Amino acid sequence: MAGDDTSVVSVAKTEGRQKLERWLNKSMKIKMTDGRTLIGVFLCTDRDRNVILGSCEEYLRSPDDDDSREEPRILGLAMVPGHHIVSIHIDEEHSVM
């Protein structure tokens, strides 16, 4: 019975890993606990849910708000702590590479 539990866990890990691999080099929008929004290219993550974004831009207000057009701050390569992430949106249609 213990072997059955291990195979279920490995299947779940495999599915999660496959999802993360599909997200590689996709445009990602991350909303943070302090209200900022980061948009960049998903490069990697770790077991603590930290995310690395390339070509990252920071918005103090959501770039989706029509009435608040602001210039983004260019961050370049950015590490986003997992405990500050509220939501993640992936643009599945466009990839960088």
Side-chain angles (χ1 to χ4, degrees):
M1 290 228 150
D4 294 336
D5 293 337
T6 306
S7 64
V8 170
V9 170
S10 67
V11 168
K13 286 183 182 179
T14 303
E15 290 172 4
R17 184 181 182 115
Q18 288 173 351
K19 180 182 276 190
L20 286 172
E21 288 174 355
R22 283 195 308 271
W23 290 355
L24 285 173
N25 299 314
K26 301 281 187 189
S27 181
M28 177 180 277
K29 177 170 38 173
I30 297 177
K31 294 192 181 193
M32 299 177 58
T33 54
D34 62 3
R36 291 181 292 163
T37 300
L38 302 177
I39 298 176
V41 178
F42 176 65
L43 298 178
C44 68
T45 188
D46 61 14
R47 66 180 53 175
D48 295 323
R49 298 181 312 233
N50 300 315
V51 173
I52 304 292
L53 295 177
S55 304
C56 185
E57 298 178 344
E58 174 191 52
Y59 295 85
L60 296 180
R61 291 179 295 278
S62 176
D64 297 331
D65 294 344
D66 292 331
D67 58 329
S68 64
R69 293 288 172 198
E70 67 173 290
E71 289 293 315
R73 185 170 81 145
I74 307 300
L75 300 179
L77 190 64
M79 192 279 289
V80 186
H83 62 276
H84 287 296
I85 296 173
V86 173
S87 68
I88 294 176
H89 174 76
I90 302 292
D91 186 355
E92 295 277 359
E93 297 175 10
H94 300 95
S95 64
V96 175
M97 295 183 161

